[in-house]
Structure formats: structure tokens, C-alpha cells
Amino acid sequence: MKKRIAILGSTGSIGTQSLEVIDQNPDDFEVEVLTANNNVDLLIQQAIKYQPNVVVIANKDKYPYLAGALADEDIKVYAGDEAIAQVVDMDTIDLVLTAMVGYSGLIPTYNAVNAGKNIALANKETLVVAGEIITKKAREKQVDLLPVDSEHSAIFQCLVGEFMNPIEKIYLTCSGGPFRGKTFDELKDVSVEHALAHPNWDMGAKITIDSATLMNKGFEVIEAHWLFGLPAEKIDVIVHPQSIIHSIVQFEDGSMKAQMGLPDMKLPIQYAMGFPKRIANKFPRFNFLDYPTLEFETPNTKIFRNLALAFEAMEMGGNMPCILNAANEVVVEAFLAQRIKFLQIPEIIEKAMNTVAFVKNPGLDDLIQTNIETRRVTELLTEDKI
């Protein structure tokens, strides 16, 4: 039987690539639900092509246009964040692929887990904000959290057949982004355009800026902590500019496993969607002769302070990773709008972490309130910075 997929965030980078995977594997997958935030025109095109049972647009103002465009299709149309959070409960869904960006993915993912749906997790912020709550609920509901991030997919693939063998350390690889090797002086006046010019990966604007600041890698550290149950001292980050080795697992006997391949998100997407089956594909193949040298460096956490802030937030626990995430979402938006400079991003995040009240054992409602308060505080901190 075909696996029926709900794609939350179908118009973004991960969502569109997920649909490409479905295009190439029509006997394995079919689209059951598509959701988007604002990109209603692309959502309409996707709905007409894939004929899902349901589509949802988060922006309620765009509902009339969406409903009118799909009036002649046998597709249910809804709008609003609440609808996205509710639609994951449908009996006809086999797998929920969470490709929404940022905090917005938390409640839909939580509801999907609570409904007993297996998750292909591309929304790392869900585990950053509420890792303990989500993983506990997943164990309770016997739900698989299948990582889609290339680094976590690599770790997961390396652990297949090794679950009885303790991990000594994992190494999350990092391209270093567009500003690898730059000094403080060189980063003082970098433009938004420069920050969006990632050397290896084609991603949305928010994630690309996170990669430039290394916050994306910091989030991945926290995500790995929850996915694989590892303390901070067993998680390391190494800069690997070629992005060929996607991550490494080191076992207690000193042996290491690495997952390698060209930087193409469709591979980890397909692996998560098809798990436990590996599905043949026609993706480009890696050729060792094209990469005679693979480089590795230590990340500079003095210049790229966000990575250090993520480790600090993880070690503090409680609602601190939620504060980290909310502050980061606000400052990235401010940077993209050219209201703050690149080097002010970690400064403002750290101030927010030191300002918002710390809660040691938060529930979901506490995290929702932390998110609201952190955004309010961070907005004030971003005023008049340029």
C-alpha cells in the first residue's frame, strides 16, 4: 500500500523537495494533506497537481482566494493555524512530514505525535523548544521521530544495527556557511545578500541566515541531544566545507561510521519517508575523484557566538532553548529587514536569554508563554540598533 503523506509547509524548500520525491516514487507515496503559510498561488498549483484530501492555508485572509481557485476540485479547504494543528489527526494520514519553519511547527507536531502519527521531522525547532515533552509523548504513543535534517539522518543511518552499542561521541558536520574564516572586522557590515549566499545548500531565507550565524548548527546540537539521548559532552561540531560527510558516529571501541553523499536534501527526505526501506532513485552519485580533498576545522565560537549560546541553552535546559529560539526568530527577521546588523544577532539573543524569566520544568503552556514573552522582549531589544 502507498504511504499517505501530510506535508506541513509544502511550499517551502523542504516541502517542494518532498513533493519531488513523491513524483519519483508514485507507487510508494501519495499526498493526503498539504499546508502552507502564505504562498497561496503555489499551494493552489500543488493541490491541483497532487489532488490531496485536504489543503490548509495558515493566513486566513487568503482563504477566499484559495477556496475559489479549488472550487471545482474534490479537495477540502481550510484556513488558520488551528486548522493545521487539527488536520494532522486525520485517520487517513500514515506519516506527517513537518517542514514548517520555526516555532510554528511545534503545536502541529505535538498534535500529530499525540494522534499516534509517525513523524518525518524537518522542523528542528520543535525539539529545540520542547524536546523533552515531544520525545516523552512519542515514547508514550510509540511514534517514530524520523529525522530529515541531513546531519541527523546521517546519525540515524549510522546507528541502524548499532542500537545495542553505546555511543562515545557524535560529530555533526557544518559547512561553515558563507562567512567561514571571516574576522569581526570583515563581518561588521555584511549585507543580507551576502548572508543569503550559502555555498552548498539551497534553503529558505530564515534557515540560510541561521546557517550563516551557525545558529542552525546550534539548533541541530539540541535536536541531536533529544533524538539520540546524548549529553552535551558527547556531541561535537566540526566544520567540513565540502558538505560530503553529513555526520559521524564514534563508538566505544573507537571505530567511526560516517554517512556520505552529495549535498542534496532529497536523499534524507526520501530515507525518512521510506523508512525502513531504502528506495532506489536516480539522484546524482558522489564521485571520489571530484573531491580529492575533504577538509575539517574547529568552529570559531568567539566570532560565531550563536553556536556557544545553543550549547549553553541546552545545558541549562528548562525553557532556555525556547528563549533562544524565539529570540533568534525575531532577530533574524530584523536582520532580513535590515533593522539590525549581522554581528548584533548574537548580542541581542544573549540579552534576551539573560532577561526572560527562567523556568526549570516547563509544561507546554509555560513554553507558549515563554515564546510570547521572549518575542516581546527581543522586539524591544532590536529597536534603534542601526
Side-chain angles (χ1 to χ4, degrees):
M1 293 179 61
K2 293 182 181 181
K3 206 176 274 187
R4 296 164 296 186
I5 313 290
I7 302 177
L8 309 187
S10 65
T11 59
S13 175
I14 296 296
T16 54
Q17 291 180 84
S18 300
L19 290 170
E20 290 179 38
V21 171
I22 292 173
D23 284 339
Q24 296 180 31
N25 299 281
D27 295 332
D28 295 290
F29 310 115
E30 63 180 313
V31 177
E32 183 66 15
V33 175
L34 295 174
T35 83
N37 184 31
N38 270 310
N39 194 342
V40 66
D41 290 319
L42 181 53
L43 182 62
I44 289 167
Q45 295 174 28
Q46 292 175 345
I48 291 172
K49 177 178 179 178
Y50 294 98
Q51 292 293 306
N53 189 353
V54 174
V55 298
V56 188
I57 186 78
N59 187 338
K60 292 182 178 180
D61 293 340
K62 297 190 176 182
Y63 173 79
Y65 178 58
L66 176 64
L70 299 179
D72 295 332
E73 308 292 335
D74 186 21
I75 300 171
K76 303 178 185 69
V77 181
Y78 302 107
D81 293 331
E82 302 88 350
I84 294 176
Q86 292 169 6
V87 75
V88 295
D89 199 19
M90 291 169 49
D91 291 339
T92 51
I93 295 172
D94 297 315
L95 179 74
V96 177
L97 194 152
T98 60
M100 300 170 73
V101 176
Y103 174 86
S104 63
L106 172 59
I107 300 302
T109 306
Y110 176 84
N111 288 351
V113 172
N114 195 44
K117 308 297 182 185
N118 288 331
I119 307 295
L121 186 68
N123 174 254
K124 61 177 65 67
E125 290 85 355
T126 291
L127 291 186
V128 170
V129 172
E132 184 172 7
I133 292 171
I134 295 293
T135 53
K136 180 179 179 182
K137 181 61 69 173
R139 289 191 297 270
E140 175 190 326
K141 295 292 183 177
Q142 297 184 320
V143 161
D144 289 332
L145 298 176
L146 302 165
V148 169
D149 274 340
S150 62
E151 295 81 1
H152 301 91
S153 176
I155 299 296
F156 183 61
Q157 292 182 55
C158 289
L159 289 176
V160 171
E162 300 278 6
F163 289 105
M164 298 300 292
N165 293 317
I167 298 170
E168 187 168 281
K169 180 169 281 195
I170 64 171
Y171 296 88
L172 300 175
T173 56
C174 169
S175 72
F179 302 137
R180 180 176 65 91
K182 300 293 185 183
T183 65
F184 280 114
D185 285 341
E186 291 172 316
L187 293 175
K188 279 182 180 177
D189 296 307
V190 296
S191 67
V192 171
E193 290 73 23
H194 287 149
L196 289 173
H198 195 281
N200 297 337
W201 297 96
D202 180 15
M203 304 174 290
K206 195 267 182 184
I207 298 176
T208 304
I209 299 302
D210 284 348
S211 294
T213 67
L214 296 199
M215 181 60 89
N216 192 54
K217 200 55 50 178
F219 285 164
E220 288 174 4
V221 167
I222 299 173
E223 185 180 7
H225 164 66
W226 291 113
L227 280 173
F228 307 114
L230 297 173
E233 60 268 20
K234 290 193 175 186
I235 305 173
D236 205 349
V237 173
I238 50 174
V239 175
H240 168 48
Q242 293 78 26
S243 296
I244 295 300
I245 294 177
H246 298 300
S247 278
I248 303 164
V249 177
Q250 181 173 303
F251 296 97
E252 286 190 327
D253 62 354
S255 63
M256 306 172 86
K257 280 188 176 182
Q259 189 265 330
M260 302 173 64
L262 294 172
D264 183 350
M265 280 304 301
K266 291 192 291 294
L267 181 58
I269 290 169
Q270 179 180 284
Y271 186 78
M273 287 172 57
F275 185 81
K277 176 185 175 185
R278 285 191 183 270
I279 300 172
N281 60 51
K282 296 181 180 179
F283 302 157
R285 268 33 180 183
F286 171 74
N287 184 339
F288 280 94
L289 299 182
D290 292 336
Y291 295 85
T293 301
L294 297 180
E295 301 170 277
F296 304 95
E297 305 168 5
T298 300
N300 188 333
T301 54
K302 291 183 178 179
I303 291 179
F304 298 99
R305 175 80 176 128
N306 278 354
L307 180 56
L309 292 176
F311 270 99
E312 290 174 18
M314 179 178 67
E315 292 187 22
M316 285 189 70
N319 68 336
M320 190 55 69
C322 180
I323 296 170
L324 177 82
N325 177 74
N328 181 67
E329 290 192 12
V330 172
V331 295
V332 168
E333 185 177 327
F335 174 71
L336 287 169
Q338 301 183 48
R339 292 192 289 114
I340 64 171
K341 293 186 176 181
F342 184 79
L343 289 178
Q344 291 173 321
I345 290 174
E347 293 176 6
I348 296 171
I349 292 171
E350 188 166 17
K351 288 180 181 177
M353 292 171 68
N354 291 329
T355 302
V356 179
F358 177 66
V359 180
K360 181 62 179 174
N361 297 298
L364 191 57
D365 288 341
D366 297 313
L367 295 175
I368 292 170
Q369 291 306 310
T370 294
N371 178 68
I372 293 170
E373 175 63 9
T374 303
R375 288 172 187 274
R376 183 191 69 79
V377 167
T378 311
E379 286 288 358
L380 292 174
L381 292 171
T382 61
E383 291 179 0
D384 302 322
K385 285 296 179 183
I386 291 183

